[in-house]
Amino acid sequence: MQSAEKISITMTPEQLRAVRESVAAGEYASTSEVLRDAVRLWQRQRQEDAERLNVIRARIRRSLDDPRPALSFEDVEAHLEALFAEAEQGSDRA
């Protein structure tokens, strides 16, 4: 195992009780193991959030770089109305 540094943390009584219950139930060997697992989960969540944000930024960038002309509100509204009318006709046939 890599060298470790001892730290002090403050937890609510409910959090500490949950950690101790998990250790007592045999889910973890120690409170340190519980907290290391929690930090790993936190790190993974941060990485996933960063990846999702990068995907969103890339989609925005592609949209901004799209060479097609921008649509006016009226163009979008007319297109949506046509799509809704088409969908409604399709549901009438069913």
Side-chain angles (χ1 to χ4, degrees), residues 26-43:
E27 297 170 19
Y28 293 92
S30 68
T31 55
S32 292
E33 193 177 301
V34 175
L35 296 175
R36 282 191 298 270
D37 193 36
V39 169
R40 282 190 294 271
L41 179 61
W42 171 73
Q43 288 173 315

Side-chain angles (χ1 to χ4, degrees), residues 73-87:
F73 175 77
E74 291 77 19
D75 294 336
V76 172
E77 190 172 37
H79 183 69
L80 288 174
E81 286 177 9
L83 287 174
F84 289 135
E86 184 180 311

